[in-house]
Amino acid sequence: MKRFLLFYSAVVIITAIPVRGEVVVADVFARQTTSLNGKWHVIVDPYDTGYFDYRRQPYDEAAKPSGGFFLDRQAKDKTDLVEYNFDTSPTLNVPGDWNSQDEKLFYYEGSVWYRTKFDVNKSAPDHRLFVYFGAANYEADVYLNGNKLGKHIGGFTPFAYEITKLAKEKNNSLVVRVNNNRHADGVPAVNTDWWNYGGLTRDVLLVETPATFISNFRVRLKPGTTNTIEASVQLDGADKEQAVKISLPTLKLAAEMKADTNGFIQFELSTPNLALWSPEQPVLNDVEISSGDDQLKDRVGFRTITTSGTDILLNGHKVFLRGICIHEENPLRGGRAWSEDDAKLLLDWVKELNCNFVRLAHYPHNEHMARLADEMGIMVWEEIPVYWTIDWTNAETLANAEKQLGDEILRDQNRASVIVWSVANETPVGEARTKFLKSLVDEARALDGTRLVSAAMEVRTDPDNPNHKIVDDPFGEFTDLCSFNEYTGWYDGLPDKIDQLRWSIKYDKPVVISEFGADAKQGFHADALTRFSEEYQEDVYKRTLPMLEKIPGFSGCTPWILCNFRSPRRPLPGIQDGWNLKGVIGHNGEKKKAFAVLKSFYDEKAKAEVAK
Ligand code: GCB
């Protein structure tokens, strides 16, 4: 028997789901799409000849609406001067960074023009078409058939453009100029301890929708409850007051209502004994949302995440975050990770460590990570690249950071695994910076009040006592967690200093050590005082973990880091050779001695949790 059908006609709509950017086509993985991945022709353009004319004026300016130079023009006849040819240019894989695909582009920072061609076979004449980019680092100018669609800034978040009117049935030419120059007013700015991989680094998709379509939806537990599901749906198109249906077949819940004049509708569906998502039981529920001919299917978990004093509570129960940091790299293949297989490689190692938590440092990782974490039962800390040196007083820089944060939240708002939005890493204490970060915290809470907000802060040393560490960053007032990085035994003293530490922590909040660690070259063995040996790193772990246990409120840690990763800041020949070696796994995939130390610490923690 069908249990029941809920119709809430009098739901109070508080706010519309945040809609940001040019076109919102949220949750593309929940709909049918056509992949534009593959081999794209590329022109490497170090002088930006395709973008600027010889007076260094951009072709894109309004006065020259014909757009850029490298726009896949055809020669009118053989006397026409066209000094480039996509058809005979080399190709690169999309998705993929250019640095790891072509040795000549290893250190390259600048512009590369990409071109692919595609046909369109719409299933109805009034259907709409969009091109969706998972990410392009750092700046992307996008053109279809010679027309500029837009410019996107920010290397790690998705964006989409509508091409309904511009697309032809055959032989569409999609051209993207991707530029990965670093900028002092950018997010991140010029200085990072990771490789500045350029290119179309994530999936590119063609999305077909009905004339009015579901542009965004959010399904979650209604804040403050554990048995009421709150679903918001936003329609886009001319016919906004359409009926919207939602169903969660495994929970035998369904409802249908008409959207309001803005195309917005919010449902509430209650069910007794709703199984909640947790790392031990990562329960996901099928969700189907439809409106007219548009139909989306997703899998969504429900859980609560809160804090109480120094405790983190998952579904109301105290939880210890057994974590590890990850960069978005596949160390075995080299280059940016982007696929589900890449995510699996990394998260399988995370599971092997007996982690229940990952910190996806230092920028939004590809969408497969959070989706797979949902399935595998791994809680996630996501971050935006507000890192080290940011132009704190620049309003455009703040707008850029807010946009990246908003787009990240929009993309992953339906992922139960994501429990923390981190707004920054290791930023210098100061009034302008705290104001900047406070705006981001406010933004995160306004867009999504159901997750914890934090940042990786720094520790200060008592000027009168090098063994006394103080955590009193004024920004800590505004975060839900007191999280900080600390490198005693590597950048600060030798490992035996770790045993001497005493901590003063100003905040009555859960303490999460967001980084600690030491470099080790996999396979290099020596005594525990020889830098870069596995034994040195192992010793740092052996001393740090018990030391952390003594910090009042210690509620989790994410050591730095799962795997070695490429960094231009690490040139030591024969040892680093351009790699940051703090991975507990080497870039050959082999585990170092510290891996076992961390794993046994987490095994004990997990056992203690079960015993409770
Ligand atoms: C840090 C940074 C991280 C670096 C790491 C290191 O504090 O947050 O991005 O890679 O230290 O290895 O120095």
Side-chain angles (χ1 to χ4, degrees), residues 108-121:
Y108 181 67
E109 294 186 312
S111 286
V112 172
W113 292 77
Y114 285 77
R115 193 219 59 196
T116 193
K117 292 209 157 176
F118 64 92
D119 297 340
V120 168
N121 188 6

Side-chain angles (χ1 to χ4, degrees), residues 418-470:
V418 179
I419 59 161
V420 180
W421 302 122
S422 163
V423 299
N425 177 75
E426 287 189 351
T427 54
V429 173
E431 220 172 285
R433 161 285 205 168
T434 299
K435 198 165 161 236
F436 187 105
L437 297 190
K438 167 77 167 52
S439 303
L440 294 173
V441 168
D442 291 346
E443 180 80 354
R445 294 214 172 101
L447 296 175
D448 171 20
T450 65
R451 289 171 172 91
L452 308 179
V453 181
S454 200
M457 290 177 267
E458 288 183 322
V459 170
R460 147 176 112 76
T461 305
D462 184 342
D464 300 324
N465 177 359
N467 293 330
H468 179 207
K469 298 285 180 187
I470 303 169

Side-chain angles (χ1 to χ4, degrees), residues 14-36:
I14 304 155
T15 44
I17 312 173
V19 171
R20 317 281 305 248
E22 309 86 348
V23 197
V24 175
V25 191
D27 258 296
V28 277
F29 287 16
R31 45 172 74 249
Q32 294 279 350
T33 56
T34 307
S35 170
L36 295 179

Side-chain angles (χ1 to χ4, degrees), residues 193-194 327 359 362 387-388 425-426 485 487 491 515 519 560 565 570 580 582:
D193 189 24
W194 70 79
H327 258 300
R359 173 177 176 220
H362 284 298
Y387 181 93
W388 286 358
N425 177 75
E426 287 189 351
N485 303 345
Y487 279 94
Y491 296 122
E515 288 180 29
D519 279 54
W560 192 252
F565 59 97
R570 311 289 172 175
N580 182 312
K582 292 193 187 68

